[in-house]
Amino acid sequence: MCPCVHAHRILLALEGIISYLLHVQGRHSSTAGACLGHAGSLGCQCGGGRAMASLLCNARIQLTDTLEQMQQGTLMRKVKSKSWKKQRYFKLQDDCMTIWYQSKRTGKTESAFSISDVETVREGHQSEVLQSLADEFPPERCFTIVFYGRRGNLDLIAGSAEEAQCWVQGLRQLIEVATSMDQREKIDQWIRDWFQKADKNKDGRMNFKEVQRLLKMMNVDMNEDHALRLFQAADKSESGTLEGEEFVLFYKTLTQREEVLSLFQDFSEDGKKLTLLELVDFLRQEQLEDEGTEELAMELIDKYEPSETARARHALSADGFLMYLCSPEGSIFNPRHRALWQDMSQPLCHYFISSSHNTYLIEDQIRGQSSIEGYIRALKRGCRCLEVDCWDGPNGEPMVYHGHTFTSKIPFREVVSTLGKYAFKTSDYPVILSLENHCSMEQQEVLAQQLKDILGEQLLTATTDGRVPTQLPSPEELKHKILLKGKKIGRLEDMLDGPGDEAPDVSDDDNGAEAEEERRRVKKDKENLAQALSDCIIYCKSVSFRGFQEARSHSRPSEISSFAEAKARKLIRDTGNEFVRHNAWQLTRIYPSGMRTDSSNYSPQEMWNVGCQIVALNFQTAGMEMDLCDGLFSQNGRCGYVLKPPFMRDEETLFNPSDPGSWEGPGPITLTIQVISGQQLPKVANTKDGAVIDPLVRVEIHGVPADQARQETKYIENNGFNPRWDETLQFQLHVPELALVRFVVEDYDKTSRNDFVGQFTLAFTNIKPGYRHIHLLSKDGTTIPPSSLFVHIRITEPPGPEQD
């Protein structure tokens, strides 16, 4: 592949960058340097002529024939509906990390996306749009590009099966590289992106005007004279442009982390390196690592020190120190809690369960689109309770949609097929399908048949041990099972035979009126509910709530009540402790008010405060409420189940979230957060070109009413690139086991509402103390590397009882 002249110049420029970075990293040096810019290998290490073609590609990408073909470009149909099928020219850019496409008719570049935005590629007719075209185009020519967050999918039809395979395989190769990048590689990629964006005339060098544009793009509003001084200092060749190592020098000047260098020097005797013992001191004193600290220090040096010489001497340079602080081990989120770390053998009601409302909707509740994509997205996020509204459809086929509205419709069969395919890809633990049944008896029979035929063994149709449950089974016992929640004719024990099937119930003699009421209910259910569907309901029989006392007197763990948010709030306010006790032995589901036609959400925190397990939210709607949901369920392997604290699992508990007198413990914990600095904060969407943000940081505590709090720093004018706050915020937590901590960055605006920049939310119990980076997420909950906050966390326990 013959590269053009400007491509050759960029390659030469990047070769200079590589050699310079190798030098500053100390890989060919006998001492570990103390340079604290972001260093890394920027160039492609592919050999021969292929290196010329790859240019700015990631060092780990091997430029195969497939990728070369993608770089040459392919004409494909972009499809939005049965009638909207337009030809677009798709091309992989030279960086191997960006794809752009243009209209065949106008030749104008329409759009571009980064490989890091792509979650997966699905082959064949795996979207509703492509399914609707199944008769027109064979599956081997069709594929779907799925993006992270709430961005719509891209459905494509290639000209041949070979072209489709080329793009599917090539994209999967690149996605694998993008998802396995460490922090250093993400920063390298970030630099590459800026280099290309700023080099407007594509000559492999940047003049001062291009540099000024680059600074604005990078969220830096720098005085022109100061920018010119930095530019001239980096322009060693005095050519009036920055090339290769000059560009890196300029970039490193911009990215100096003085606050990290100062911390490094506090623990380094010679100011150039941390010896193994000095690193151990830092880990113990500041990071409060108290187990296997020497082994940890050795691991960190081996993993993050760029200089081979320093690694051989068991020393950490300033660059290695920064790489550690930016890594998962240096994150605020305890890496041990990312994995499955909780006991999964307790009854189902002892867990908070990730739950969605109207899962089929991907927009609003009135005119929004119903789509199987809603189920796929929710399941991939670890959701374990899905909702499906079923109505009679044409030709005896039940349909799923929001009744009495203009939302589109999808066949129930497709929802069940999707559930069978995706239910256990993210988590092995049980999925609850909340069935809102509005079907006729005939189509209820179809519902039951489709559930059994499609799900087979996955559908739970009997108790785990054949006996009447005295408590709910555990997530562990229900692995790879799908539970149906809905109405049921009679009692679970009526289905069961054998020993131990005596159910706690009220006999006719004890209360004839109550028994008569039960018979009347069964008769009514038999008139409205198909037996075949009723038999699929095992552990989640939906019942009307008639008070905590009545629920307790019948004591059937397999029953579940649902409450609208307003009813739940009233119960929390009036009978908080009874609600907590009820949730210690039975499941409760909360759902949004019917007035929320825009698919907005209520705060789940107040429902979790009383132990409600199935707190259903509109997953399609971004915002603080979904941040809290994602924050709580980002732990425990993202399996969708989080164990409730011990005082919420005790049926005789005295805990009431609104009553400080009911909280046991020595007193409040003090959480002290020093907000030090920010790094490469993203631009605010839809702002004027060139506008630079004025960032502030707000820390919010979500927990019991007494713990609810928020504090914020001052704003920093015109600096989203490397703002420094150095402000300390302090909070008192009375029930830390229920607290979530949300870090929000906003762009201050004195005339209107502040704009959202990024956030990160986690449970207090997952916080690691010490010097930590917080890697920010977008409004959609997706990563935005390398944007981060640098903080210091201190957690102070109240003093224990005095010793004699």
Side-chain angles (χ1 to χ4, degrees), residues 335-386:
R336 289 179 190 167
H337 289 190
R338 286 271 184 214
L340 194 71
W341 66 284
Q342 294 184 327
D343 175 10
M344 301 304 289
S345 63
Q346 302 210 22
L348 217 53
C349 54
H350 286 183
Y351 298 84
F352 296 120
I353 303 172
S354 178
S355 309
S356 85
H357 173 248
N358 288 352
T359 317
Y360 48 88
L361 289 180
I362 54 176
E363 294 169 36
D364 65 57
Q365 317 271 322
I366 302 296
R367 297 174 184 276
Q369 182 189 351
S370 301
S371 170
I372 56 171
E373 200 58 45
Y375 291 96
I376 296 171
R377 288 180 188 176
L379 287 165
K380 285 197 157 187
R381 285 175 85 164
C383 182
R384 298 285 89 188
C385 182
L386 312 167

Side-chain angles (χ1 to χ4, degrees), residues 357 563-565 569 589-593 596 600-607 614-618 624-626 628:
H357 173 248
F563 304 102
E565 57 178 287
R569 279 196 204 96
R589 178 174 174 268
I590 313 295
Y591 58 91
S593 158
R596 293 184 182 271
S600 62
N601 280 313
Y602 57 91
S603 172
Q605 186 67 49
E606 54 190 329
M607 315 304 174
I614 302 176
V615 180
L617 297 177
N618 290 302
M624 178 268 290
E625 298 83 7
M626 271 310 297
L628 296 179

Side-chain angles (χ1 to χ4, degrees), residues 65-122:
D65 292 337
T66 299
L67 296 185
E68 281 193 344
Q69 196 176 326
M70 291 167 69
Q71 286 184 338
Q72 288 166 10
T74 309
L75 197 61
M76 293 188 276
R77 281 186 175 88
K78 178 184 173 187
V79 188
K80 286 187 180 178
S81 67
K82 242 184 147 170
S83 57
W84 199 103
K85 305 184 287 281
K86 298 193 177 176
Q87 288 198 311
R88 296 289 183 264
Y89 185 67
F90 286 80
K91 187 174 186 293
L92 176 66
Q93 296 290 75
D94 289 333
D95 68 347
C96 293
M97 277 285 141
T98 313
I99 288 165
W100 60 248
Y101 52 98
Q102 62 181 192
S103 164
K104 185 191 175 190
R105 186 172 57 82
T106 64
K108 182 183 170 192
T109 300
E110 271 201 356
S111 193
F113 59 86
S114 169
I115 294 294
S116 57
D117 293 334
V118 180
E119 183 180 351
T120 190
V121 182
R122 298 187 199 136

Side-chain angles (χ1 to χ4, degrees), residues 469-690:
T470 53
Q471 65 174 27
L472 284 166
S474 68
E476 194 64 39
E477 291 173 279
L478 294 169
K479 263 186 171 178
H480 301 116
K481 289 295 182 186
I482 294 168
L483 284 60
L484 201 61
K485 172 197 162 293
K487 291 196 170 122
K488 183 174 183 68
I489 299 168
R491 305 165 304 173
L492 178 60
E493 46 267 34
D494 299 336
M495 290 173 63
L496 303 169
D497 298 312
D501 64 350
E502 305 85 11
D505 195 18
V506 180
S507 71
D508 287 21
D509 296 336
D510 290 337
N511 192 332
E514 195 164 330
E516 184 57 41
E517 172 69 13
E518 180 72 22
R519 278 191 283 272
R520 191 185 63 76
R521 265 186 235 140
V522 170
K523 184 171 181 290
K524 188 182 175 190
D525 286 342
K526 279 184 175 173
E527 290 168 2
N528 298 307
L529 190 59
Q531 187 68 49
L533 192 59
S534 168
D535 289 347
C536 295
I537 310 293
I538 306 300
Y539 289 117
C540 297
K541 177 188 175 181
S542 297
V543 297
S544 299
F545 180 72
R546 294 182 173 83
F548 292 123
Q549 191 136 7
E550 185 173 327
R552 190 62 181 151
S553 67
H554 287 84
S555 190
R556 292 198 187 104
S558 58
E559 294 183 344
I560 175 172
S561 297
S562 294
F563 304 102
E565 57 178 287
K567 169 74 171 172
R569 279 196 204 96
K570 185 173 189 319
L571 289 171
I572 292 166
R573 193 170 56 245
D574 297 346
T575 51
N577 174 247
E578 285 187 77
F579 211 164
V580 177
R581 289 185 179 198
H582 176 83
N583 288 325
W585 63 273
Q586 194 178 87
L587 290 170
T588 297
R589 178 174 174 268
I590 313 295
Y591 58 91
S593 158
M595 304 300 288
R596 293 184 182 271
T597 54
D598 59 351
S599 291
S600 62
N601 280 313
Y602 57 91
S603 172
Q605 186 67 49
E606 54 190 329
M607 315 304 174
W608 292 330
N609 286 344
V610 288
C612 297
Q613 304 88 350
I614 302 176
V615 180
L617 297 177
N618 290 302
F619 270 45
Q620 72 271 31
T621 306
M624 178 268 290
E625 298 83 7
M626 271 310 297
D627 292 345
L628 296 179
C629 183
D630 288 340
L632 177 65
F633 292 105
S634 60
Q635 62 181 311
N636 207 28
R638 291 186 178 273
C639 74
Y641 287 83
V642 170
L643 189 63
K644 297 196 283 189
F647 55 81
M648 304 192 91
R649 309 194 303 258
D650 174 6
E651 293 176 28
E652 305 302 323
T653 184
L654 299 176
F655 178 76
N656 180 347
S658 303
D659 176 14
S662 70
W663 309 337
E664 295 179 7
I669 280 174
T670 303
L671 172 64
T672 305
I673 301 169
Q674 185 191 2
V675 181
I676 302 169
S677 61
Q679 294 75 45
Q680 289 94 35
L681 303 176
K683 289 271 202 169
V684 171
N686 307 321
T687 54
K688 285 181 289 188
D689 188 41

Side-chain angles (χ1 to χ4, degrees), residues 748-767:
Y748 173 77
D749 192 322
K750 62 174 176 283
T751 57
S752 63
R753 191 174 171 181
N754 293 348
D755 286 312
F756 175 90
V757 174
Q759 68 84 30
F760 188 79
T761 307
L762 76 168
F764 170 80
T765 50
N766 295 326
I767 288 178

